[in-house]
Amino acid sequence: MTQRCGYCAIMGRPNAGKSSLLNTLVGQKIVGVSAKPNTTRNRILGIRMEDNAQLLFLDTPGIHRSHKKLTLNSLMNREAWSVLADADMILYVIDVQDVGNAEDINFLRNVVKESKGRVLVCLNKCDKLKKVELRLAEERLLGIMAMIREELPPEAAAHLDDRHPWLISAKRKESLTELVAAIVEGLPEGPWLYPDDDLTDRPQKFVCAELIREQAFRHLGAELPYQLAVRVDTMEFAPTIVRIEAYIVVSRQAHRGIVLGKNGQKIKEIGMEARQNLELHFQNKVYLGLEVIVDEDWVNDPISIADYAELDPKDD
């Protein structure tokens, strides 16, 4: 059988469910997920084998209006848009409960305009709506897609997939069967770029940091997570246990107390749930040591951002 291989970027606004979709498509959690927007900071590769095809999914930070005061936000935006140069196709993910958002429409229009391949629009979290509500959301999105086709030059408008939006629930793999088949159909012919048992190109330290940061996002307040990073310092593998030492990095001394919590209770909760996810990941017992450190205003320091968030501050 002819081999196929290609890059499929997952794009959309913050909290549309892109990272959940990547984890489900890959079949294992390789990126952190939380209800808070902007959990993903990097372009992350997830690999799926489907018969004779190797699907290379690129998860991206949520596209948002850049916050001029935060160097981190601007670099996350650049990371998201950079995938258009590499992607053979785009999955643009829209929260079914937020169809018609003006910012979302503008981002979708620009993605279609700049894409070099097909753009498949996915309505995510469809399990959260009743059938009548879902049908109305789909009809509204169809109107938006028709409007975008009319506004763009024909050669750009042709990138927008002319089928109906894909109705999915990122956490339910059975809802993705037809979407995966459509992706395979659109991939170019060519040899596989990675071993067929790889799940990502990221090192284990990166995946571990993502799983720890996920729990920090889940347990902490609305503002603090955006100025929080996780760096895994050491990993040691033994037959019966994996030992991990990691730092939770915050940008203010006052934030350190928030992460620790009263009598250290908050950091214990974060560590316990992170350890459980790490044990699922490694299929082995895990010892996790966490320490909270302060690096003042690291979110505005390009060198610290490169170290903690693994975002390159240099221009491409």
Side-chain angles (χ1 to χ4, degrees), residues 249-260:
V249 185
V250 294
S251 63
R252 297 282 187 274
Q253 187 64 40
H255 293 169
R256 184 172 183 273
I258 296 174
V259 177
L260 290 173

Side-chain angles (χ1 to χ4, degrees), residues 131-149:
K131 289 184 178 180
V132 173
E133 297 171 319
L134 180 57
R135 186 163 59 249
L136 290 174
E138 182 182 14
E139 290 174 356
R140 188 174 189 188
L141 182 54
L142 282 170
I144 292 169
M145 293 168 67
M147 177 188 70
I148 290 174
R149 289 192 190 94

